[in-house]
Amino acid sequence: MTPADGLLVLRPGPLTTVQDLGRRGVAHLGVPRAGALDEPALRAANRLAGNEPGAAALETTLGGVALRALRPLVLAVTGAPSPVRVDGRAAAWGAPVAVPAGAVVEVGAATHGVRAYLAVAGGIAVPPVLGSRSADLLSGLGPAPLSAGDRLPVGPPPPYRPAPELVPLPAPPDALVLRLRPGPRADWFDPQALTRLAGDPYRVAPASNRIALRTEGPPVRRARDDELASEGMVLGAVQVPPDGCPVVFLADHPTTGGYPVVGVVPPADLAAAAQARPGTPVRFTVVRGRRDRGR
């Protein structure tokens, strides 16, 4: 069986993209990782839909999405809590939902958090690019953000798997706590910079996006004002641009950068960052010792 049209986009919302677990192992080619910002939520949606964990799904941003099922489908919505409706009737969030052919599926505006994930049994079967179906907003790789009238192919239904009764996920944060492992350019900053960074109040800036979580707050003081040669960047790197406000790199981050990195946030903390709305308080906690392996 080959992928066929499964969904027609009626309302794309402010920003809805196709995402899976991203492009791994290609940063040396200058290609960002991309992929779902809230990876545990993507995995949970796929589990509920009966898919493999890395199947491509839809990532919405704040305002949801509206779609018409072009054939009978099973879907699940996780991530930011949002109202789900099928032909105007309330449907379950965080559980499998059977949708008949022709029905309109609506994921409403998020009541908390930022990004919801809609997985459909069989996965969104757009063509892969460098091993991933993810949209990368920085490089332009992968499918473009959804537009009204788009038709999305859906793969064949996966083998039957009993749906789990519960897929626990943390609630979107009222306050964001990010661990920070110092380096590699911590020596470019004032000796007390890390202490102040851990004690000063920050908040999520409105300019945050899939590339980075940007912050507002007291500037981090540098000890060196000279130029830094461009060097490789990793997921979770915390750059400090000229305004002094820390920037936490997320999935669509560039692979190189020229601002000093004061530390790195472990991958396990970034799902919460993906769900933090503008204005959410941010606190950095400096940690040292055993390396965090993330999730």
Side-chain angles (χ1 to χ4, degrees):
M1 179 183 259
T2 58
D5 286 348
L7 293 166
L8 173 66
V9 180
L10 303 178
R11 177 178 60 82
L15 177 64
T16 301
T17 58
V18 177
Q19 299 294 339
D20 54 21
L21 296 179
R23 296 177 179 86
R24 312 287 177 115
V26 289
H28 66 291
L29 302 175
V31 177
R33 171 171 145 173
L37 291 194
D38 187 342
E39 187 175 306
L42 171 73
R43 290 176 178 272
N46 275 324
R47 184 180 175 195
L48 290 165
N51 294 332
E52 293 298 322
L58 299 181
E59 178 185 274
T60 72
T61 307
L62 289 173
V65 68
L67 311 154
R68 185 181 300 279
L70 301 178
R71 57 184 169 93
L73 298 170
V74 174
L75 57 83
V77 179
T78 63
S82 312
V84 180
R85 295 183 178 86
V86 176
D87 277 344
R89 296 183 179 182
W93 177 93
V97 176
V99 179
V104 174
V105 178
E106 296 177 273
V107 179
T111 57
H112 299 84
V114 178
R115 296 173 173 91
Y117 293 84
L118 187 155
V120 57
I124 304 298
V126 296
V129 178
L130 293 176
S132 170
R133 294 181 165 90
S134 289
D136 180 348
L137 303 187
L138 183 64
S139 71
L141 289 175
L146 267 56
S147 296
D150 286 350
R151 288 176 176 257
L152 299 175
V154 173
Y160 173 75
R161 298 184 181 92
E165 294 183 1
L166 179 66
V167 178
L169 286 170
D174 293 324
L176 185 61
V177 179
L178 299 175
R179 291 172 292 170
L180 183 71
R181 299 195 178 279
R185 298 296 178 187
D187 59 333
W188 277 57
F189 297 90
D190 183 283
Q192 298 301 313
L194 286 173
T195 301
R196 294 194 184 101
L197 182 59
D200 285 339
Y202 291 89
R203 60 186 176 273
V204 177
S208 299
N209 53 27
R210 281 188 46 85
I211 296 170
L213 181 140
R214 301 179 183 275
T215 66
E216 297 173 336
V220 180
R221 295 182 180 177
R222 286 176 54 168
R224 296 176 58 174
D225 294 325
D226 46 321
E227 294 292 327
L228 177 67
S230 184
E231 56 188 359
M233 292 291 125
V234 299
L235 183 70
V238 181
Q239 271 196 343
V240 180
D243 66 4
C245 291
V247 174
V248 184
F249 276 165
L250 302 179
D252 285 1
H253 72 84
T255 55
T256 61
Y259 298 132
V261 173
V262 70
V264 178
V265 173
D269 293 5
L270 296 180
Q275 298 294 1
R277 292 190 171 197
T280 300
V282 180
R283 181 168 63 89
F284 293 96
T285 62
V286 178
V287 293
R288 296 177 174 85
R290 184 174 62 85
R291 183 178 179 180
D292 182 271
R293 295 184 180 274
R295 295 183 181 177

